Amino acid sequence: MFVAKIHVLLKPTVNDPQGLTIARALDRLGFDAVDAVRAGKYFEVQIQGSDELTAEREVKAMCEKLLSNPVIETFTYELELV
Amino acid sequence: MFVAKIHVLLKPTVNDPQGLTIARALDRLGFDAVDAVRAGKYFEVQIQGSDELTAEREVKAMCEKLLSNPVIETFTYELELV
């Protein structure tokens, strides 16, 4: 079995209102050293099977079809055999 | 300057409706090999300064005060010097 650790982040050129809001809130809480915040999503997907190539193809497809919006987001993933 | 890469996940015993919904959606899309999905949050925080201990203390404090809900979530972080 594999665990896919998937990160979905807004593309660098896309405005990130959630990140901006968090940065402002941290500033108000006294965290003066904070420069910028980007907010994203993180998924851990358990995948049956023992073939790494198949699992990787599945993960890529599910990122493209459901987990990310390719117009404004990018995704990265790591596969771990468990 | 540091970049803190912060993961916030629901504790394993806490029900994860977002993860369950994604798992069901993936199943409907034909990804039969998917066993389970956990959904979490991911933040990249840029922190000024060059002292790693100070930066680490700040990151821990901001996770406890704002970025996670310690009742139902856990957080992990890595610091990268950039």
Side-chain angles (χ1 to χ4, degrees), chain B residues 5-80:
Chain B
K5 301 186 167 185
I6 301 167
H7 292 88
V8 178
L9 271 178
L10 287 168
K11 290 181 181 172
T13 51
V14 176
N15 190 32
D16 177 7
Q18 193 189 352
L20 292 173
T21 304
I22 293 169
R24 265 202 306 273
L26 287 173
D27 188 57
R28 269 199 305 272
L29 286 171
F31 295 102
D32 303 325
V34 170
D35 242 11
V37 179
R38 300 290 287 177
K41 288 172 280 185
Y42 175 65
F43 305 103
E44 286 185 357
V45 181
Q46 283 182 26
I47 299 169
Q48 288 165 357
S50 55
D51 180 28
E52 185 157 357
L53 273 183
T54 310
E56 195 169 334
R57 203 166 43 227
E58 292 258 291
V59 170
K60 208 164 165 235
M62 66 182 77
C63 285
E64 284 163 356
K65 284 187 187 164
L66 185 74
L67 299 178
S68 79
N69 175 355
V71 178
I72 54 168
E73 292 173 326
T74 57
F75 61 86
T76 56
Y77 57 84
E78 301 151 41
L79 271 183
E80 257 177 42

